[in-house]
Amino acid sequence: MKDLAYYNGKISSIEDMRVPMLDRGCYFGDGVYDATFARNHIVWQLEEHVARLYRSADALGIGIPHTPEELCALIRRLVTQVNTGEQWVYFQVTRGTAPRNHAWGEMCHGNVWVMLRPTEMVDVYKKIKLITVPDTRFLHCDIKTINLIPSVMASQKAEMAGANEAVLHRDGRVTEGSHSNIHIIKDGVFRTAPTDNLILPGIARAHLITACRELGIPVNETPFTVDEMLNAKEVLISSSSAPGLRCVEIEGKPVGRQAPEVVAALQKWVRDEIFAETERD
Ligand code: PLP
């Protein structure tokens, strides 16, 4: 198949898939999701992403009708049915199907959605531009829900401004990007926001921290301000499909570019890890 959609056992192309209007995801955004990519039909860090999906679902009392192992096996099987090995791998579980009513009563079985689409892997050496936007999201950003309106608005604003990502900030503190985590290099230290309720604990973020530890780069997981970001030696963003991209401009003004050796070491580590783990014999 060219691409693939899965809904509670049904499989079709993405375009042909039809879902019930009464799926609570459609009218409440009542669901959780996760996303990663596949290379050579091997899904990158699938167990970590599935574990985060279960944490998000547990936080909202959404029941996933599979064990994590079954869900991993299902996704791995589906990925082999798409012709192209490089894929965007997206999965979500909505709370269930019922007439519109805020409370959900006894509902315990979620609806499982998977979308697989051919994609080009992002060039980790791509240099990117950012804008800054006040963070108007709710206070449970550690839960990966499909309610993404503030992030969607921020992302559109970035695109309209010719930028790649919007950096969200709350009370002066940089929280994260609209769909990424933000990091800075300052005084030789890799600084990244703590994994509290204001950010998503990114899987690429965790891998960058491992990279720092292996490369002997000190890590500081405390909040930093927009000013600190603007004056940092380097600014990086990470997500599973774009792990460790270097930012060179924020709001049209140059930033970073003052610790190229640290960035090069981190990017090489990340690229080597991805390539080693998604290589076929
Ligand atoms: N923060 C937000 C708000 C995101 O949407 C994402 C990715 O979707 C990330 C951070 C990065 O997470 P990960 O590295 O697990 O892809």
Side-chain angles (χ1 to χ4, degrees):
M1 299 176 74
K2 278 215 304 253
D3 61 24
L4 185 149
Y6 171 97
Y7 183 77
N8 285 346
K10 280 189 292 179
I11 294 178
S12 70
S13 67
I14 294 176
E15 197 183 349
D16 290 338
M17 180 57 75
R18 298 289 174 265
V19 299
M21 199 170 173
L22 290 182
D23 183 308
R24 285 176 65 98
C26 298
Y27 54 81
F28 281 140
D30 189 1
V32 293
Y33 78 105
D34 224 293
T36 180
F37 67 91
R39 179 173 171 264
N40 289 327
H41 292 104
I42 299 170
V43 186
W44 172 243
Q45 303 301 346
L46 181 59
E47 282 91 354
E48 287 173 65
H49 285 274
V50 165
R52 187 170 63 189
L53 180 81
Y54 277 77
R55 283 198 298 277
S56 297
D58 282 351
L60 301 181
I62 292 176
I64 302 183
H66 300 292
T67 63
E69 295 71 30
E70 285 167 353
L71 188 59
C72 285
L74 170 68
I75 294 167
R76 286 203 179 94
R77 184 156 46 78
L78 295 175
V79 161
T80 62
Q81 296 179 32
V82 175
N83 307 337
T84 317
E86 289 193 8
Q87 296 166 36
W88 173 67
V89 177
Y90 176 95
F91 40 100
Q92 71 178 31
V93 181
T94 53
R95 192 179 300 277
T97 310
R100 188 179 181 283
N101 189 22
H102 287 64
W104 64 86
E106 303 281 300
M107 190 175 294
C108 58
H109 278 304
N111 295 322
V112 178
W113 311 44
V114 181
M115 269 191 278
L116 305 173
R117 200 172 63 197
T119 191
E120 298 254 308
M121 260 187 71
V122 170
D123 171 11
V124 295
Y125 301 116
K126 180 175 158 183
K127 296 186 179 61
I128 61 161
K129 300 177 184 176
L130 306 175
I131 59 162
T132 59
V133 176
D135 191 343
T136 58
R137 300 173 302 164
F138 76 162
L139 297 175
H140 302 284
C141 301
D142 50 327
I143 305 172
K144 205 162 166 57
T145 83
I146 58 175
N147 271 286
L148 289 173
I149 288 298
S151 308
V152 165
M153 299 306 286
S155 206
Q156 174 72 4
K157 198 167 173 194
E159 190 169 303
M160 292 293 110
N164 307 85
E165 172 62 307
V167 179
L168 307 177
H169 55 88
R170 208 187 274 270
D171 303 325
R173 164 187 165 178
V174 170
T175 49
E176 58 183 335
S178 71
H179 51 274
S180 62
N181 292 117
I182 311 287
H183 324 281
I184 59 173
I185 309 285
K186 192 178 171 221
D187 303 327
V189 174
F190 179 89
R191 189 94 174 267
T192 189
T195 51
D196 54 16
N197 62 312
L198 298 183
I199 74 158
L200 183 78
I203 286 163
R205 172 191 178 281
H207 283 248
L208 278 174
I209 290 175
T210 305
C212 288
R213 305 239 190 270
E214 290 194 7
L215 295 166
I217 302 166
V219 175
N220 179 346
E221 294 182 63
T222 55
F224 56 87
T225 64
V226 173
D227 261 5
E228 285 180 289
M229 176 179 72
L230 295 175
N231 294 305
K233 295 277 186 237
E234 296 284 347
V235 181
L236 295 166
I237 73 164
S238 69
S239 66
S240 291
S241 51
L245 301 188
R246 189 184 198 195
C247 311
V248 294
E249 198 181 294
I250 302 181
E251 308 284 8
K253 299 204 181 75
V255 290
R257 297 204 206 211
Q258 292 174 64
E261 65 300 337
V262 179
V263 174
L266 283 173
Q267 289 180 329
K268 179 176 182 317
W269 191 97
V270 165
R271 201 164 181 276
D272 287 352
E273 189 196 33
I274 293 174
F275 276 68
E277 294 195 14
T278 56
E279 208 50 65
R280 287 237 174 255
D281 300 332

